[in-house]
Amino acid sequence: MLFHVKMDVAVSRDLDPDERARLVGTEKERALELQRAGTWVHLWRIVGQYSNISIFDVDSTDELHEILWSLPLFPFMRVQVTPLAQHPSALAAQP
C-alpha cells in the first residue's frame, strides 16, 4: 500500500541545542534505515519550510502508524497521511 505523507516539523525553540542535534541525527539514521529497507520510497524537502513530502510503501495502515511513531522527531511533527491508488493513465498501469 502506498501512502503520501506530509510531515511539518516544529521543534520547540527552548529545546536544549545538544538534545536537538541528537534528535536530528537519530531521525536521519532512522530515515536512511527505512529508505534502505524500501519502506520509505521517496523523501522530498519542501523548499523554504521545515517539512517534507514522502511516499511510504507498507503492508497496512497499522504498519505506517508504527513507523511514524518510531521517528525520533515525531513528537514535534504534524503529519498528514493520504492513501494512494494507481491512476489508470499512468505508464505503470499500461499493459
Side-chain angles (χ1 to χ4, degrees):
M1 299 174 70
L2 294 177
F3 293 89
H4 169 276
V5 180
K6 182 173 187 272
M7 300 178 218
D8 298 313
V9 183
V11 178
S12 175
R13 293 188 184 275
D14 55 347
L15 184 65
D16 177 74
D18 291 335
E19 177 63 8
R20 179 188 174 102
R22 185 191 69 75
L23 282 171
V24 169
T26 56
E27 179 81 12
K28 181 176 181 177
E29 290 172 17
R30 181 69 174 132
L32 290 169
E33 173 188 333
L34 291 164
Q35 289 173 77
R36 288 183 183 113
T39 304
W40 198 328
V41 181
H42 293 281
L43 174 57
W44 297 94
R45 169 75 65 217
I46 299 174
V47 176
Q49 299 177 31
Y50 195 179
S51 300
N52 73 68
I53 291 175
S54 298
I55 303 296
F56 284 85
D57 188 358
V58 294
D59 291 330
S60 68
T61 55
D62 290 332
E63 182 183 2
L64 179 60
H65 179 81
E66 292 301 319
I67 288 169
L68 294 174
W69 275 73
S70 77
L71 298 175
L73 288 175
F74 183 78
F76 304 99
M77 291 181 186
R78 187 183 69 161
V79 178
Q80 297 173 315
V81 176
T82 305
L84 299 174
Q86 189 169 46
H87 194 288
S89 295
L91 282 174
Q94 303 309 304

